């Protein structure tokens, strides 16, 4: 199969497209022909070697953890799906090696769910990693409830775009933080109020909007934003971050770090929300497999609006 590959950590330009045999389809696994693969900041971080202390790896590595595609073959005992079913999934495995920036991937069927029926595979492939991250952060860790107020830092990006919409499905009030140029976009997604981190102090601007403070801060941004936001957290509020692991935080803050996990039943929920017209997928750029280095360089700038994808 054709795949993006790299043999050492470093600059994204080292990623080349080549031919490699896909692995054997094992017990409980399926072979999926990939139609679209979402691009995520973690793909660039892994490729630069930033996670090598945390995640074991085997070279050559095919980057990419997101995908939508079609089941081509089933291994012994794999029976959740039929050959020809359109599925999507978050394909992070215990060892970093076989990714989704390729024509095929072999993956445990338990990682997968059926694609939403109302959108093309090109949009479904952008959902799993960021959709699951938002879901697990604001509902599992953040326990967000109706009529609570959530402040989302980095709300126009891949994760933030899902977080705004998921919080609205729960009936929460949403304040989104991103650059001014993304404020109309965040409002289209459902944000009730927006803050520009370039020109406003986030904590003060949040208290102007919600004088009693917010119940949940969801941090998917960088820079000073999280520290600035803390003055707007209610005493009994919760802070959830997917970037900061809690160093230098006041120990009295109710804090949780989330590292997203595969979860097929939550993918089913996300697919149902898409089909109920409650979740929109915004693709800002599409790359070919040959353009993987550019896709990685772009995503590591941390200013993506919605999602970018690779079509192998
Ligand atoms: N732990 C996990 O499981 C997990 C899962 C997914 C992602 N992540 C991490 O979470 C981060 C976000 O991921 P993503 O896919 O949403 O990234 P993304 O698509 O690149 O979005 C980044 C967002 O952050 C905003 N932003 C940039 N600098 C900011 C600042 N100083 N203050 C507030 N907002 C700022 C951007 O808005 P503007 O363009 O307007 O600046 C944009 O909305 C990445 O670092 C990623 O590696 C972690």
């Amino acid at each position: 199969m054709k795949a993006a590959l790299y043999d050492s950590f470093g600059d994204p330009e080292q990623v080349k497209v080549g031919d490699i045999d896909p692995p054997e389809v094992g017990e409980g696994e399926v072979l999926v022909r990939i139609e679209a693969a979402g691009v995520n900041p973690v793909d660039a971080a892994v490729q630069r070697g930033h996670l090598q202390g945390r995640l074991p790896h085997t070279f050559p590595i095919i980057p990419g953890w997101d995908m939508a595609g079609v089941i081509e073959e089933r291994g012994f005992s794999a029976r959740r799906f039929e050959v020809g079913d359109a599925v999507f999934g978050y394909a992070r495995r215990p060892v970093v090696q076989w990714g989704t920036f390729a024509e095929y991937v072999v993956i445990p069927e338990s990682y997968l769910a059926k694609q939403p029926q109302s959108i093309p595979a090109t949009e479904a492939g952008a959902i799993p990693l960021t959709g699951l991250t938002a879901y697990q952060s604001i509902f599992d860790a953040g326990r967000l409830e109706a009529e609570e107020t959530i402040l989302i830092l980095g709300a126009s990006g891949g994760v933030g775009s899902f977080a705004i919409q998921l919080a609205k499905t729960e009936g929460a009030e949403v304040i989104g933080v991103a650059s001014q140029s993304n404020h109309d976009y965040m409002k289209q997604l459902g944000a009730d109020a927006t803050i520009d981190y370039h020109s406003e102090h986030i904590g003060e601007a949040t208290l102007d909007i919600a004088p009693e403070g917010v119940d949940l801060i969801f941090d998917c941004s960088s820079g000073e934003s999280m520290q600035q936001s803390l003055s707007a957290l209610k005493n009994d509020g919760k802070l959830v971050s997917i970037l900061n692991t809690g160093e230098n935080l006041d120990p009295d803050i109710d804090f949780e770090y989330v590292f997203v996990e595969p979860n097929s039943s939550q993918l089913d929920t996300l697919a149902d929300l898409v089909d109920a017209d409650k979740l929109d997928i915004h693709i800002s750029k599409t790359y070919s497999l040959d353009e993987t280095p550019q896709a990685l360089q772009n995503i590591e700038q941390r200013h993506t609006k919605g999602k970018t994808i690779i079509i192998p």
Side-chain angles (χ1 to χ4, degrees), residues 117-242:
Q117 293 179 356
S118 56
I119 57 171
T122 45
E123 293 180 20
I127 297 174
L129 191 151
T130 42
L132 289 175
T133 303
Y135 194 97
Q136 291 168 16
S137 298
I138 68 176
F139 295 140
D140 294 349
R143 303 184 301 275
L144 183 71
E145 291 180 8
E147 290 171 35
E148 288 189 334
T149 303
I150 178 174
L151 174 67
I152 303 171
L153 310 174
S156 60
V159 179
S161 296
F162 281 103
I164 291 176
Q165 298 180 83
L166 289 172
K168 292 312 294 180
T169 65
E170 192 64 21
E173 286 290 304
V174 176
I175 305 170
V177 178
S179 307
Q180 185 66 45
S181 58
N182 285 321
H183 285 202
D184 284 347
Y185 171 69
M186 292 191 288
K187 285 185 177 150
Q188 276 165 27
L189 295 176
D192 300 286
T194 52
I195 294 170
D196 179 4
Y197 66 90
H198 295 285
S199 61
E200 297 171 272
H201 182 282
I202 296 173
E204 291 167 11
T206 303
L207 288 171
D208 286 343
I209 298 162
E212 291 175 4
V214 299
D215 302 279
L216 176 61
I217 297 174
F218 177 31
D219 169 39
C220 21
S221 71
S222 45
E224 296 296 306
S225 295
M226 190 188 82
Q227 283 300 335
Q228 277 190 19
S229 70
L230 295 177
S231 57
L233 186 63
K234 286 182 180 172
N235 284 340
D236 60 351
K238 183 153 190 182
L239 168 66
V240 174
S241 181
I242 53 174

Side-chain angles (χ1 to χ4, degrees), residues 49-92:
H50 295 163
L51 275 76
Q52 56 181 309
R54 293 190 190 166
L55 301 174
H57 64 273
T58 302
F59 290 120
I61 290 172
I62 301 174
W65 286 350
D66 251 348
M67 65 94 196
V70 174
I71 306 267
E72 293 270 316
E73 193 183 322
R74 305 192 298 181
F76 176 72
S77 91
R79 60 189 154 72
R80 292 188 188 197
F81 304 102
E82 303 290 335
V83 169
D85 278 352
V87 293
F88 69 145
Y90 166 45
R92 174 169 68 82

Side-chain angles (χ1 to χ4, degrees), residues 279-296:
L279 263 188
D280 278 341
I281 318 302
H282 179 87
I283 308 290
S284 54
K285 193 158 172 54
T286 301
Y287 297 90
S288 67
L289 204 52
D290 291 324
E291 293 172 316
T292 299
Q294 292 95 302
L296 293 173

